[in-house]
PDB file of all heavy atoms in Angstrom:
ATOM      1  N   ALA A   1     -18.165  70.619  -4.989  1.00  0.00           N
ATOM      2  CA  ALA A   1     -17.943  72.053  -5.216  1.00  0.00           C
ATOM      3  C   ALA A   1     -18.715  72.886  -4.194  1.00  0.00           C
ATOM      4  O   ALA A   1     -18.213  73.905  -3.696  1.00  0.00           O
ATOM      5  CB  ALA A   1     -18.369  72.424  -6.635  1.00  0.00           C
ATOM      6  N   ILE A   2     -19.918  72.445  -3.877  1.00  0.00           N
ATOM      7  CA  ILE A   2     -20.701  73.144  -2.852  1.00  0.00           C
ATOM      8  C   ILE A   2     -19.995  73.060  -1.504  1.00  0.00           C
ATOM      9  O   ILE A   2     -19.831  74.063  -0.802  1.00  0.00           O
ATOM     10  CB  ILE A   2     -22.116  72.544  -2.753  1.00  0.00           C
ATOM     11  CG1 ILE A   2     -22.883  72.746  -4.056  1.00  0.00           C
ATOM     12  CG2 ILE A   2     -22.881  73.170  -1.577  1.00  0.00           C
ATOM     13  CD1 ILE A   2     -24.196  71.987  -4.122  1.00  0.00           C
ATOM     14  N   GLU A   3     -19.560  71.848  -1.157  1.00  0.00           N
ATOM     15  CA  GLU A   3     -18.873  71.641   0.128  1.00  0.00           C
ATOM     16  C   GLU A   3     -17.612  72.502   0.221  1.00  0.00           C
ATOM     17  O   GLU A   3     -17.360  73.155   1.251  1.00  0.00           O
ATOM     18  CB  GLU A   3     -18.516  70.161   0.269  1.00  0.00           C
ATOM     19  CG  GLU A   3     -17.935  69.769   1.628  1.00  0.00           C
ATOM     20  CD  GLU A   3     -16.424  69.979   1.715  1.00  0.00           C
ATOM     21  OE1 GLU A   3     -15.770  70.093   0.662  1.00  0.00           O
ATOM     22  OE2 GLU A   3     -15.904  70.038   2.858  1.00  0.00           O
ATOM     23  N   THR A   4     -16.838  72.538  -0.848  1.00  0.00           N
ATOM     24  CA  THR A   4     -15.585  73.300  -0.844  1.00  0.00           C
ATOM     25  C   THR A   4     -15.834  74.785  -0.628  1.00  0.00           C
ATOM     26  O   THR A   4     -15.164  75.440   0.184  1.00  0.00           O
ATOM     27  CB  THR A   4     -14.825  73.097  -2.172  1.00  0.00           C
ATOM     28  OG1 THR A   4     -14.466  71.719  -2.296  1.00  0.00           O
ATOM     29  CG2 THR A   4     -13.573  73.958  -2.219  1.00  0.00           C
ATOM     30  N   ASN A   5     -16.803  75.333  -1.333  1.00  0.00           N
ATOM     31  CA  ASN A   5     -17.054  76.768  -1.243  1.00  0.00           C
ATOM     32  C   ASN A   5     -17.688  77.169   0.081  1.00  0.00           C
ATOM     33  O   ASN A   5     -17.434  78.274   0.575  1.00  0.00           O
ATOM     34  CB  ASN A   5     -17.914  77.212  -2.425  1.00  0.00           C
ATOM     35  CG  ASN A   5     -17.124  77.247  -3.721  1.00  0.00           C
ATOM     36  OD1 ASN A   5     -16.159  77.988  -3.843  1.00  0.00           O
ATOM     37  ND2 ASN A   5     -17.524  76.431  -4.681  1.00  0.00           N
ATOM     38  N   ILE A   6     -18.473  76.287   0.659  1.00  0.00           N
ATOM     39  CA  ILE A   6     -18.986  76.576   2.001  1.00  0.00           C
ATOM     40  C   ILE A   6     -17.824  76.538   2.997  1.00  0.00           C
ATOM     41  O   ILE A   6     -17.679  77.426   3.842  1.00  0.00           O
ATOM     42  CB  ILE A   6     -20.078  75.571   2.404  1.00  0.00           C
ATOM     43  CG1 ILE A   6     -21.335  75.790   1.556  1.00  0.00           C
ATOM     44  CG2 ILE A   6     -20.431  75.717   3.891  1.00  0.00           C
ATOM     45  CD1 ILE A   6     -22.436  74.785   1.812  1.00  0.00           C
ATOM     46  N   ARG A   7     -16.981  75.517   2.886  1.00  0.00           N
ATOM     47  CA  ARG A   7     -15.848  75.367   3.815  1.00  0.00           C
ATOM     48  C   ARG A   7     -14.896  76.557   3.734  1.00  0.00           C
ATOM     49  O   ARG A   7     -14.369  77.028   4.755  1.00  0.00           O
ATOM     50  CB  ARG A   7     -15.124  74.055   3.521  1.00  0.00           C
ATOM     51  CG  ARG A   7     -13.878  73.819   4.350  1.00  0.00           C
ATOM     52  CD  ARG A   7     -13.433  72.360   4.287  1.00  0.00           C
ATOM     53  NE  ARG A   7     -13.527  71.804   2.962  1.00  0.00           N
ATOM     54  CZ  ARG A   7     -12.612  71.955   1.997  1.00  0.00           C
ATOM     55  NH1 ARG A   7     -11.538  72.692   2.230  1.00  0.00           N
ATOM     56  NH2 ARG A   7     -12.778  71.390   0.815  1.00  0.00           N
ATOM     57  N   LEU A   8     -14.681  77.071   2.525  1.00  0.00           N
ATOM     58  CA  LEU A   8     -13.770  78.196   2.327  1.00  0.00           C
ATOM     59  C   LEU A   8     -14.460  79.548   2.525  1.00  0.00           C
ATOM     60  O   LEU A   8     -13.850  80.586   2.272  1.00  0.00           O
ATOM     61  CB  LEU A   8     -13.147  78.115   0.931  1.00  0.00           C
ATOM     62  CG  LEU A   8     -12.268  76.888   0.672  1.00  0.00           C
ATOM     63  CD1 LEU A   8     -11.746  76.890  -0.755  1.00  0.00           C
ATOM     64  CD2 LEU A   8     -11.122  76.815   1.674  1.00  0.00           C
ATOM     65  N   ARG A   9     -15.690  79.502   2.942  1.00  0.00           N
ATOM     66  CA  ARG A   9     -16.480  80.710   3.250  1.00  0.00           C
ATOM     67  C   ARG A   9     -16.560  81.656   2.045  1.00  0.00           C
ATOM     68  O   ARG A   9     -16.260  82.850   2.118  1.00  0.00           O
ATOM     69  CB  ARG A   9     -15.896  81.424   4.476  1.00  0.00           C
ATOM     70  CG  ARG A   9     -15.959  80.571   5.740  1.00  0.00           C
ATOM     71  CD  ARG A   9     -15.623  81.347   6.993  1.00  0.00           C
ATOM     72  NE  ARG A   9     -15.623  80.496   8.183  1.00  0.00           N
ATOM     73  CZ  ARG A   9     -16.711  80.151   8.885  1.00  0.00           C
ATOM     74  NH1 ARG A   9     -17.893  80.600   8.500  1.00  0.00           N
ATOM     75  NH2 ARG A   9     -16.607  79.371   9.949  1.00  0.00           N
ATOM     76  N   ARG A  10     -17.001  81.075   0.917  1.00  0.00           N
ATOM     77  CA  ARG A  10     -17.202  81.842  -0.316  1.00  0.00           C
ATOM     78  C   ARG A  10     -18.702  81.846  -0.643  1.00  0.00           C
ATOM     79  O   ARG A  10     -19.185  80.983  -1.386  1.00  0.00           O
ATOM     80  CB  ARG A  10     -16.432  81.217  -1.466  1.00  0.00           C
ATOM     81  CG  ARG A  10     -14.917  81.162  -1.270  1.00  0.00           C
ATOM     82  CD  ARG A  10     -14.301  80.307  -2.351  1.00  0.00           C
ATOM     83  NE  ARG A  10     -12.831  80.276  -2.254  1.00  0.00           N
ATOM     84  CZ  ARG A  10     -12.075  79.414  -2.924  1.00  0.00           C
ATOM     85  NH1 ARG A  10     -12.641  78.499  -3.729  1.00  0.00           N
ATOM     86  NH2 ARG A  10     -10.766  79.439  -2.793  1.00  0.00           N
ATOM     87  N   PRO A  11     -19.458  82.782  -0.106  1.00  0.00           N
ATOM     88  CA  PRO A  11     -20.924  82.775  -0.269  1.00  0.00           C
ATOM     89  C   PRO A  11     -21.395  82.768  -1.726  1.00  0.00           C
ATOM     90  O   PRO A  11     -22.253  81.959  -2.091  1.00  0.00           O
ATOM     91  CB  PRO A  11     -21.364  84.052   0.453  1.00  0.00           C
ATOM     92  CG  PRO A  11     -20.272  84.340   1.411  1.00  0.00           C
ATOM     93  CD  PRO A  11     -19.005  83.885   0.754  1.00  0.00           C
ATOM     94  N   GLN A  12     -20.861  83.661  -2.543  1.00  0.00           N
ATOM     95  CA  GLN A  12     -21.319  83.725  -3.928  1.00  0.00           C
ATOM     96  C   GLN A  12     -20.948  82.463  -4.699  1.00  0.00           C
ATOM     97  O   GLN A  12     -21.748  81.942  -5.480  1.00  0.00           O
ATOM     98  CB  GLN A  12     -20.728  84.947  -4.628  1.00  0.00           C
ATOM     99  CG  GLN A  12     -21.264  85.162  -6.054  1.00  0.00           C
ATOM    100  CD  GLN A  12     -22.777  85.315  -6.092  1.00  0.00           C
ATOM    101  OE1 GLN A  12     -23.356  86.081  -5.322  1.00  0.00           O
ATOM    102  NE2 GLN A  12     -23.438  84.557  -6.975  1.00  0.00           N
ATOM    103  N   ALA A  13     -19.761  81.947  -4.465  1.00  0.00           N
ATOM    104  CA  ALA A  13     -19.345  80.711  -5.139  1.00  0.00           C
ATOM    105  C   ALA A  13     -20.202  79.532  -4.685  1.00  0.00           C
ATOM    106  O   ALA A  13     -20.548  78.656  -5.497  1.00  0.00           O
ATOM    107  CB  ALA A  13     -17.870  80.429  -4.869  1.00  0.00           C
ATOM    108  N   ALA A  14     -20.554  79.490  -3.400  1.00  0.00           N
ATOM    109  CA  ALA A  14     -21.419  78.422  -2.894  1.00  0.00           C
ATOM    110  C   ALA A  14     -22.798  78.518  -3.530  1.00  0.00           C
ATOM    111  O   ALA A  14     -23.395  77.506  -3.931  1.00  0.00           O
ATOM    112  CB  ALA A  14     -21.533  78.516  -1.376  1.00  0.00           C
ATOM    113  N   ARG A  15     -23.298  79.755  -3.633  1.00  0.00           N
ATOM    114  CA  ARG A  15     -24.607  79.977  -4.272  1.00  0.00           C
ATOM    115  C   ARG A  15     -24.577  79.492  -5.719  1.00  0.00           C
ATOM    116  O   ARG A  15     -25.493  78.792  -6.178  1.00  0.00           O
ATOM    117  CB  ARG A  15     -24.939  81.467  -4.203  1.00  0.00           C
ATOM    118  CG  ARG A  15     -26.307  81.841  -4.749  1.00  0.00           C
ATOM    119  CD  ARG A  15     -26.509  83.346  -4.751  1.00  0.00           C
ATOM    120  NE  ARG A  15     -26.645  83.888  -3.405  1.00  0.00           N
ATOM    121  CZ  ARG A  15     -25.765  84.721  -2.833  1.00  0.00           C
ATOM    122  NH1 ARG A  15     -24.655  85.080  -3.490  1.00  0.00           N
ATOM    123  NH2 ARG A  15     -25.983  85.187  -1.619  1.00  0.00           N
ATOM    124  N   ASN A  16     -23.540  79.846  -6.444  1.00  0.00           N
ATOM    125  CA  ASN A  16     -23.422  79.436  -7.851  1.00  0.00           C
ATOM    126  C   ASN A  16     -23.285  77.925  -7.988  1.00  0.00           C
ATOM    127  O   ASN A  16     -23.825  77.322  -8.937  1.00  0.00           O
ATOM    128  CB  ASN A  16     -22.217  80.121  -8.493  1.00  0.00           C
ATOM    129  CG  ASN A  16     -22.396  81.624  -8.628  1.00  0.00           C
ATOM    130  OD1 ASN A  16     -23.529  82.118  -8.606  1.00  0.00           O
ATOM    131  ND2 ASN A  16     -21.298  82.345  -8.758  1.00  0.00           N
ATOM    132  N   ALA A  17     -22.580  77.313  -7.065  1.00  0.00           N
ATOM    133  CA  ALA A  17     -22.401  75.854  -7.116  1.00  0.00           C
ATOM    134  C   ALA A  17     -23.740  75.137  -6.930  1.00  0.00           C
ATOM    135  O   ALA A  17     -24.003  74.122  -7.588  1.00  0.00           O
ATOM    136  CB  ALA A  17     -21.412  75.413  -6.038  1.00  0.00           C
ATOM    137  N   VAL A  18     -24.577  75.661  -6.062  1.00  0.00           N
ATOM    138  CA  VAL A  18     -25.908  75.074  -5.882  1.00  0.00           C
ATOM    139  C   VAL A  18     -26.735  75.248  -7.147  1.00  0.00           C
ATOM    140  O   VAL A  18     -27.450  74.324  -7.569  1.00  0.00           O
ATOM    141  CB  VAL A  18     -26.626  75.688  -4.668  1.00  0.00           C
ATOM    142  CG1 VAL A  18     -28.065  75.183  -4.593  1.00  0.00           C
ATOM    143  CG2 VAL A  18     -25.885  75.352  -3.377  1.00  0.00           C
ATOM    144  N   HIS A  19     -26.661  76.409  -7.763  1.00  0.00           N
ATOM    145  CA  HIS A  19     -27.399  76.624  -9.013  1.00  0.00           C
ATOM    146  C   HIS A  19     -26.973  75.616 -10.074  1.00  0.00           C
ATOM    147  O   HIS A  19     -27.819  75.097 -10.821  1.00  0.00           O
ATOM    148  CB  HIS A  19     -27.164  78.053  -9.530  1.00  0.00           C
ATOM    149  CG  HIS A  19     -27.988  79.097  -8.854  1.00  0.00           C
ATOM    150  ND1 HIS A  19     -29.371  79.049  -8.801  1.00  0.00           N
ATOM    151  CD2 HIS A  19     -27.621  80.238  -8.190  1.00  0.00           C
ATOM    152  CE1 HIS A  19     -29.829  80.109  -8.153  1.00  0.00           C
ATOM    153  NE2 HIS A  19     -28.795  80.841  -7.757  1.00  0.00           N
ATOM    154  N   ARG A  20     -25.687  75.310 -10.147  1.00  0.00           N
ATOM    155  CA  ARG A  20     -25.220  74.318 -11.129  1.00  0.00           C
ATOM    156  C   ARG A  20     -25.766  72.935 -10.816  1.00  0.00           C
ATOM    157  O   ARG A  20     -26.162  72.185 -11.722  1.00  0.00           O
ATOM    158  CB  ARG A  20     -23.689  74.300 -11.166  1.00  0.00           C
ATOM    159  CG  ARG A  20     -23.073  75.527 -11.817  1.00  0.00           C
ATOM    160  CD  ARG A  20     -21.591  75.319 -12.129  1.00  0.00           C
ATOM    161  NE  ARG A  20     -20.793  75.167 -10.912  1.00  0.00           N
ATOM    162  CZ  ARG A  20     -20.269  76.170 -10.232  1.00  0.00           C
ATOM    163  NH1 ARG A  20     -20.473  77.422 -10.618  1.00  0.00           N
ATOM    164  NH2 ARG A  20     -19.524  75.946  -9.155  1.00  0.00           N
ATOM    165  N   LEU A  21     -25.789  72.564  -9.544  1.00  0.00           N
ATOM    166  CA  LEU A  21     -26.330  71.255  -9.158  1.00  0.00           C
ATOM    167  C   LEU A  21     -27.815  71.168  -9.495  1.00  0.00           C
ATOM    168  O   LEU A  21     -28.287  70.156 -10.041  1.00  0.00           O
ATOM    169  CB  LEU A  21     -26.125  71.026  -7.660  1.00  0.00           C
ATOM    170  CG  LEU A  21     -26.770  69.754  -7.088  1.00  0.00           C
ATOM    171  CD1 LEU A  21     -26.124  68.511  -7.693  1.00  0.00           C
ATOM    172  CD2 LEU A  21     -26.666  69.735  -5.571  1.00  0.00           C
ATOM    173  N   LEU A  22     -28.562  72.221  -9.186  1.00  0.00           N
ATOM    174  CA  LEU A  22     -30.001  72.212  -9.454  1.00  0.00           C
ATOM    175  C   LEU A  22     -30.271  72.152 -10.956  1.00  0.00           C
ATOM    176  O   LEU A  22     -31.212  71.471 -11.393  1.00  0.00           O
ATOM    177  CB  LEU A  22     -30.651  73.447  -8.846  1.00  0.00           C
ATOM    178  CG  LEU A  22     -30.669  73.504  -7.312  1.00  0.00           C
ATOM    179  CD1 LEU A  22     -31.212  74.844  -6.826  1.00  0.00           C
ATOM    180  CD2 LEU A  22     -31.476  72.357  -6.722  1.00  0.00           C
ATOM    181  N   ALA A  23     -29.466  72.846 -11.751  1.00  0.00           N
ATOM    182  CA  ALA A  23     -29.634  72.803 -13.201  1.00  0.00           C
ATOM    183  C   ALA A  23     -29.397  71.385 -13.721  1.00  0.00           C
ATOM    184  O   ALA A  23     -30.110  70.905 -14.617  1.00  0.00           O
ATOM    185  CB  ALA A  23     -28.674  73.784 -13.871  1.00  0.00           C
ATOM    186  N   ASN A  24     -28.419  70.705 -13.149  1.00  0.00           N
ATOM    187  CA  ASN A  24     -28.147  69.323 -13.542  1.00  0.00           C
ATOM    188  C   ASN A  24     -29.339  68.423 -13.210  1.00  0.00           C
ATOM    189  O   ASN A  24     -29.744  67.583 -14.023  1.00  0.00           O
ATOM    190  CB  ASN A  24     -26.898  68.825 -12.811  1.00  0.00           C
ATOM    191  CG  ASN A  24     -26.489  67.428 -13.249  1.00  0.00           C
ATOM    192  OD1 ASN A  24     -26.156  67.213 -14.407  1.00  0.00           O
ATOM    193  ND2 ASN A  24     -26.508  66.485 -12.323  1.00  0.00           N
ATOM    194  N   THR A  25     -29.899  68.621 -12.026  1.00  0.00           N
ATOM    195  CA  THR A  25     -31.066  67.822 -11.630  1.00  0.00           C
ATOM    196  C   THR A  25     -32.261  68.126 -12.517  1.00  0.00           C
ATOM    197  O   THR A  25     -33.017  67.226 -12.896  1.00  0.00           O
ATOM    198  CB  THR A  25     -31.420  68.089 -10.152  1.00  0.00           C
ATOM    199  OG1 THR A  25     -30.267  67.864  -9.345  1.00  0.00           O
ATOM    200  CG2 THR A  25     -32.544  67.164  -9.690  1.00  0.00           C
ATOM    201  N   ASP A  26     -32.449  69.391 -12.866  1.00  0.00           N
ATOM    202  CA  ASP A  26     -33.535  69.765 -13.773  1.00  0.00           C
ATOM    203  C   ASP A  26     -33.412  69.023 -15.107  1.00  0.00           C
ATOM    204  O   ASP A  26     -34.412  68.561 -15.674  1.00  0.00           O
ATOM    205  CB  ASP A  26     -33.514  71.275 -14.038  1.00  0.00           C
ATOM    206  CG  ASP A  26     -33.930  72.102 -12.829  1.00  0.00           C
ATOM    207  OD1 ASP A  26     -34.592  71.545 -11.929  1.00  0.00           O
ATOM    208  OD2 ASP A  26     -33.589  73.302 -12.797  1.00  0.00           O
ATOM    209  N   GLU A  27     -32.192  68.903 -15.600  1.00  0.00           N
ATOM    210  CA  GLU A  27     -31.961  68.208 -16.870  1.00  0.00           C
ATOM    211  C   GLU A  27     -32.320  66.728 -16.755  1.00  0.00           C
ATOM    212  O   GLU A  27     -32.908  66.153 -17.684  1.00  0.00           O
ATOM    213  CB  GLU A  27     -30.491  68.351 -17.275  1.00  0.00           C
ATOM    214  CG  GLU A  27     -30.083  69.758 -17.677  1.00  0.00           C
ATOM    215  CD  GLU A  27     -28.600  69.875 -17.956  1.00  0.00           C
ATOM    216  OE1 GLU A  27     -27.930  68.810 -17.969  1.00  0.00           O
ATOM    217  OE2 GLU A  27     -28.112  70.988 -18.154  1.00  0.00           O
ATOM    218  N   VAL A  28     -31.978  66.118 -15.626  1.00  0.00           N
ATOM    219  CA  VAL A  28     -32.282  64.703 -15.430  1.00  0.00           C
ATOM    220  C   VAL A  28     -33.788  64.490 -15.435  1.00  0.00           C
ATOM    221  O   VAL A  28     -34.306  63.566 -16.069  1.00  0.00           O
ATOM    222  CB  VAL A  28     -31.685  64.202 -14.107  1.00  0.00           C
ATOM    223  CG1 VAL A  28     -32.146  62.773 -13.820  1.00  0.00           C
ATOM    224  CG2 VAL A  28     -30.163  64.258 -14.156  1.00  0.00           C
ATOM    225  N   ILE A  29     -34.521  65.351 -14.735  1.00  0.00           N
ATOM    226  CA  ILE A  29     -35.981  65.229 -14.679  1.00  0.00           C
ATOM    227  C   ILE A  29     -36.586  65.437 -16.051  1.00  0.00           C
ATOM    228  O   ILE A  29     -37.508  64.718 -16.465  1.00  0.00           O
ATOM    229  CB  ILE A  29     -36.554  66.232 -13.660  1.00  0.00           C
ATOM    230  CG1 ILE A  29     -36.075  65.888 -12.246  1.00  0.00           C
ATOM    231  CG2 ILE A  29     -38.086  66.249 -13.727  1.00  0.00           C
ATOM    232  CD1 ILE A  29     -36.446  66.919 -11.206  1.00  0.00           C
ATOM    233  N   ALA A  30     -36.083  66.424 -16.791  1.00  0.00           N
ATOM    234  CA  ALA A  30     -36.599  66.702 -18.134  1.00  0.00           C
ATOM    235  C   ALA A  30     -36.383  65.513 -19.071  1.00  0.00           C
ATOM    236  O   ALA A  30     -37.265  65.141 -19.842  1.00  0.00           O
ATOM    237  CB  ALA A  30     -35.945  67.951 -18.699  1.00  0.00           C
ATOM    238  N   ARG A  31     -35.193  64.900 -18.987  1.00  0.00           N
ATOM    239  CA  ARG A  31     -34.914  63.738 -19.817  1.00  0.00           C
ATOM    240  C   ARG A  31     -35.817  62.565 -19.478  1.00  0.00           C
ATOM    241  O   ARG A  31     -36.231  61.806 -20.366  1.00  0.00           O
ATOM    242  CB  ARG A  31     -33.449  63.295 -19.662  1.00  0.00           C
ATOM    243  CG  ARG A  31     -32.438  64.240 -20.300  1.00  0.00           C
ATOM    244  CD  ARG A  31     -31.101  63.519 -20.516  1.00  0.00           C
ATOM    245  NE  ARG A  31     -30.565  62.948 -19.287  1.00  0.00           N
ATOM    246  CZ  ARG A  31     -29.739  63.596 -18.478  1.00  0.00           C
ATOM    247  NH1 ARG A  31     -29.352  64.830 -18.749  1.00  0.00           N
ATOM    248  NH2 ARG A  31     -29.271  63.005 -17.385  1.00  0.00           N
ATOM    249  N   SER A  32     -36.127  62.421 -18.211  1.00  0.00           N
ATOM    250  CA  SER A  32     -36.956  61.274 -17.793  1.00  0.00           C
ATOM    251  C   SER A  32     -38.374  61.381 -18.327  1.00  0.00           C
ATOM    252  O   SER A  32     -39.068  60.370 -18.478  1.00  0.00           O
ATOM    253  CB  SER A  32     -36.997  61.187 -16.258  1.00  0.00           C
ATOM    254  OG  SER A  32     -37.808  62.219 -15.713  1.00  0.00           O
TER     255      SER A  32
END
């Protein structure tokens, strides 16, 4: 999703996609 939004030149969508990825990683660390 990050790659797609960067490729399509959608700054806000790319920003949001990174936030979703980071939130997922935060959850993994919290579970561990």
